[in-house]
Amino acid sequence: MSERQPCHQTAAWAALEDHYDKVGSKFDLRDAFQSDGKRFETFSQDAPHVFADLSKNRIDATAQMRLFELARACGLERHRDAMFGGEPVNNTEQRAVKHWLLRVPKGASVDPDLALVHETLDAMLAYADRVRADSAITDVVNIGIGGSDLGPQMAVTALQAFAAQGKRLHFVSNIDGHELDAVLATVRPQSTLFLIASKTFTTLETMTNARSAKAWFEAQGGSDIARHFAALTTNVAAAREFGIDTTFGFWDWVGGRYSMWSAIGLPIAIAVGAQGFRDLLSGAHDMDRHFVTQPLERNLPVRLGLLDVWNRNFHGFTSRSIAPYHSALRRVPAFLQQLEMESNGKRVDEQGRALAFETSPVLWGEPGTNGQHAYFQMLHQGTDVVPVEFIAVARPTHKLPTHHDLLLANAVAQAQALMQGKADAGGHRNFPGNRPSTFFLLDSLTPKSLGALLALHEHRVFVSGSIWGINSFDQWGVELGKVLALDVAARLASGDVSGLDGSSAGLLGRLRESMRQQ
Ligand code: F6P
């Protein structure tokens, strides 16, 4: 794909700056609703399985129009089509970006990799159903980190209501041995299946945990590795070398944080079954089709991604708080953190040139209503304006009376309170209001609606990354720490602090001293 136009050099960007100075900076949500009885309709959007109300954001029709102009001037549609056309849009690694292909039904694309995708999917789902039917396996331990942990863990938690009875799923990610140790203390080798999930099969944390799990298994008398270990990886050769022959592969065109739709999704399939996993894929595919076919003006990922640009580059909001009002969605903020911050937390464009504007905001959050009793104080009355994103589900899967009505009422009330505010002469009880929020609504939380919600966020991140001109699909920023950790580990063992900065040397000294006292 040819070089893209830097977004801040377009006429649309200049027009947005001008509009922000004249109107956007003084925009008041309360006045906007007063003067426009149709604001909710204008600024909300139906998409497959997800409804979104964007009307409580500090945006007007002119800003939105200019943002669509910006998207067109920056070649967003061409860039999207390049991704869906299999071009190497991950230019720093010369890779195509085709996680969307994992969700395409059999025969529905001419992409040459589709047959392979379905061959692997069928094999993996047949394996998942065999594990589900195997009553001797009671525990499944997924060992992986980052994209090889967050997506599966989040989805298994979200779809708990659909999960098989009699199977406990555990997720071990951290190199901190406390995590693996605690899980091993609760399982028995003969009834446990370990899934070693790593795109590269080289990640320090995962390989350290995998080696310890295998050593524990063998020390406990376990011998049938083929039955008790499976690997999910693009590096099948390394898995074999490690001693695992049951492997499910995927490809370098699936980024780690976009990989839960691949073999990395095996824990999800074990939890919800083959059909549940297919439904998850189909919900995501519905959103893919929406993203590819809808005009920008009625395209939810596009509208959201452009709102993100407006909020970050013009309003200058530095963070975004995610508030899922459904406890099963409690891992969604962590999942979205990797998705957005690892994708768009970059300070150079795809050619490596320094950017003249800000990129990824900080994402954070906890489920509602818990957050209300912790940090919502700051959201309502703090000095920073933080857009909040509510995710609510209309129909619960439990039958307890009252709870769900109150949960949903709280979500709507918080969005209302943020916007309305409350005047009080006393100061302390004054709520400034005019605080922006977005409200996502699912009819029910199912594999399908979850798939759609997640694909929506993947594409939204693509849209803002595309406008910013960055490569959203590499992650060079994680490399330096990995290299230094190996050097520090050697120094921690040897005590050699030569050439280190004073703080690192001092800390290593303290650590060695304190470790010796154990
Ligand atoms: O360190 C970052 C990262 O490379 C993520 O992008 C990735 O999801 C994670 O590590 C795990 O990588 P792997 O699946 O190769 O073990």
Side-chain angles (χ1 to χ4, degrees), residues 144-149 197-206 232-234 250 255-259 264 338 342 475 478-479 482:
I145 197 165
S148 300
D149 166 71
S198 175
K199 178 176 172 182
T200 54
F201 225 76
T202 58
T203 304
L204 181 71
E205 291 88 339
T206 302
L232 324 173
T233 184
T234 59
F250 60 110
R257 53 195 172 275
Y258 300 87
S259 65
I264 292 292
Q338 185 194 20
E342 200 173 71
Q475 57 284 319
V478 302
E479 295 305 322
K482 289 184 188 176

Side-chain angles (χ1 to χ4, degrees), residues 323-385:
Y325 273 66
H326 194 304
S327 66
L329 296 176
R330 61 186 171 275
R331 295 296 294 162
V332 165
F335 172 79
L336 293 181
Q337 276 177 338
Q338 185 194 20
L339 179 63
E340 185 145 350
M341 294 162 77
E342 200 173 71
S343 296
N344 287 347
K346 319 254 164 92
R347 49 174 286 289
V348 296
D349 70 8
E350 62 184 3
Q351 307 303 323
R353 295 171 299 211
L355 292 170
F357 45 81
E358 298 77 25
T359 59
S360 175
V362 176
L363 266 69
W364 56 284
E366 285 285 326
T369 60
N370 298 10
Q372 291 173 211
H373 299 274
Y375 53 77
F376 267 56
Q377 161 67 38
M378 178 267 197
L379 298 178
H380 288 289
Q381 289 188 316
T383 48
D384 288 278
V385 174

Side-chain angles (χ1 to χ4, degrees), residues 307-327:
L307 176 63
D308 292 338
V309 170
W310 176 243
N311 277 346
R312 186 74 187 98
N313 301 118
F314 298 90
H315 283 295
F317 301 146
T318 55
S319 91
R320 188 160 85 235
S321 186
I322 317 294
Y325 273 66
H326 194 304
S327 66

Side-chain angles (χ1 to χ4, degrees), residues 50 64 137 218 258 324 345 389 417 455 457 459:
V50 183
Q64 191 164 253
I137 297 291
E218 286 166 345
Y258 300 87
E389 292 207 348
H457 281 82
H459 297 323

Side-chain angles (χ1 to χ4, degrees), residues 10 99 168 183 186 204 278 284 314 396 398 446 465 511:
T10 60
H99 48 275
R168 281 182 296 269
V183 171
T186 66
L204 181 71
R278 287 193 193 277
F314 298 90
H398 68 76
T446 61
L511 278 171

